[in-house]
Amino acid sequence: MTRRFLLMLGTVVLALTAGGVAWAFWTASGAGTGSAATGTLDAPTNVTAVATPGIGTVPVTWTASSQATGYYVTRVRNSDGTTAAACGTSATQPTTATSCDDAGVADGAYHYTVTAVLTTWTAISAPSANVTVNNTRPSVTVNQAAGQTDPTAVAPINFTAVFSDSVADFTSSDVTVSPSSATVTVTGSGTTYNLAVTGLPGSSAVTVSIAANAAHDPAGAGNTASTSTDNSVLHDVTAPTAPAPTASAAVTFGTFVNGGAVTLTSAATDAHSGVASVAYYYCAGSTGACTSANWTAIGSSTAATNGFPVGSNAPFAADGPYRIVAVATDAAGNLSAPSPATQLSVDTTPPSVSRPIVNGHS
């Protein structure tokens, strides 16, 4: 029986071998070698930071790393090495940009680094060049110069500019003046300057101001825009107008005035600075021009609300006809031409009466 089984088994093995089928019934251990590529993350390069004097924002730029998926920026204070997250970035809040603005930086000297991020890998850049942040800007006030009259008919008109810190590059081109056709001459140094305005075309308000960043302190910070309490002066070169004065008296007989008080008034006007006073003059006679060459002063008044009244008791030299003129002065000192004359006749001599004759007897 055994012999028969072995014979059958041998026949099966030969048949399977001949058919190209092989069975494995044993296992064995072995050894071998393999290789894999190593990944890299390059750091950002060309980190640049710029600090503009007077502005507490520092723009930072860098050249990208080709492998990075994001970046975060670090500000380092030079004095003690203190670090701070910059531009609102951090390891958990990277940016994909290659520039940012670091706002609200306090005064001091700093440098910046940029860190590239790729999954859990990081690569930090070389530091930027040092930058100095200076948030302090010089302020400046502009006002009328001491002793400058306002209004005035005289040029130049002077203003004073005072900076909170010395500036060395302040010139006339830094001054804004109205009217724009006027010319400004700047003199002074350090913190204090005089601004003299000339070339004014006529009567108008003259104002001056200084725009922001017109002048710079030693650190390079530009000034803030000027402030003022009084940076305007009225330039008035236009004379007022005086019409013929009005004369009134307590006792009148037509155009004849007795020896009582005479009140003179005027309706003088001025287009710019306003009438400051009116003076009255008389000339003897009823004809001819009444001017400073031949007039006599009666008086003057500053009471504008009452028509600039002047009262005089028998101001005239003698009985007879007179011409009265008014001359107005405005607040800038301009004089009007003499007004047309108001005619006035004075008679202070009472008539004489003879004793009546009755039946040939007086």
Side-chain angles (χ1 to χ4, degrees):
M1 181 67 180
T2 301
R3 183 177 178 181
R4 185 177 177 181
F5 174 75
L6 292 173
L7 179 61
M8 292 176 63
L9 180 61
T11 303
V12 171
V13 170
L14 289 172
L16 290 173
T17 304
V21 178
W23 287 0
F25 294 94
W26 298 275
T27 62
S29 62
T33 60
S35 63
T38 301
T40 60
L41 174 60
D42 295 331
T45 58
N46 301 321
V47 178
T48 303
V50 179
T52 301
I55 301 176
T57 296
V58 180
V60 183
T61 61
W62 59 91
T63 300
S65 167
S66 60
Q67 301 92 351
T69 57
Y71 309 89
Y72 62 89
V73 183
T74 302
R75 180 177 65 251
V76 184
R77 189 164 59 197
N78 292 352
S79 61
D80 57 10
T82 299
T83 61
C87 300
T89 66
S90 66
T92 58
Q93 290 183 305
T95 178
T96 58
T98 56
S99 65
C100 66
D101 289 334
D102 189 21
V105 183
D107 288 0
Y110 303 90
H111 63 270
Y112 287 79
T113 61
V114 179
T115 301
V117 178
L118 175 61
T119 62
T120 61
W121 296 357
T122 60
I124 189 170
S125 71
S128 71
N130 294 333
V131 293
T132 299
V133 176
N134 172 28
N135 289 296
T136 304
R137 301 174 65 186
S139 60
V140 57
T141 59
V142 179
N143 290 296
Q144 293 181 15
Q148 173 62 55
T149 57
D150 181 15
T152 182
V154 180
I157 297 174
N158 292 293
F159 299 85
T160 300
V162 179
F163 291 85
S164 62
D165 194 6
S166 293
V167 295
D169 59 346
F170 181 53
T171 66
S172 58
S173 62
D174 299 322
V175 180
T176 301
V177 60
S178 175
S180 59
S181 59
T183 300
V184 180
T185 301
V186 172
T187 56
S189 62
T191 61
T192 306
Y193 296 82
N194 185 76
L195 318 178
V197 181
T198 56
L200 296 165
S203 298
S204 68
V206 179
T207 60
V208 295
S209 61
I210 301 171
N213 299 312
H216 301 81
D217 66 15
N223 66 280
T224 57
S226 64
T227 59
S228 305
T229 55
D230 190 355
N231 65 330
S232 180
V233 173
L234 177 59
H235 181 239
D236 182 4
V237 292
T238 304
T241 300
T246 299
S248 60
V251 179
T252 61
F253 300 92
T255 60
F256 292 85
V257 180
N258 199 7
V262 176
T263 300
L264 304 171
T265 57
S266 173
T269 59
D270 185 72
H272 297 284
S273 59
V275 178
S277 64
V278 175
Y280 302 93
Y281 304 88
Y282 73 82
C283 293
S286 60
T287 60
C290 186
T291 68
S292 59
N294 61 344
W295 66 32
T296 300
I298 299 174
S300 65
S301 172
T302 59
T305 56
N306 297 318
F308 303 97
V310 166
S312 181
N313 190 16
F316 308 104
D319 288 359
Y322 291 90
R323 289 154 291 149
I324 303 173
V325 297
V327 175
T329 303
D330 66 17
N334 298 299
L335 297 177
S336 73
S339 71
T342 294
Q343 299 286 337
L344 183 66
S345 293
V346 177
D347 184 359
T348 61
T349 304
S352 59
V353 179
S354 302
R355 172 179 285 183
I357 298 174
V358 177
N359 297 324
H361 301 282
S362 61

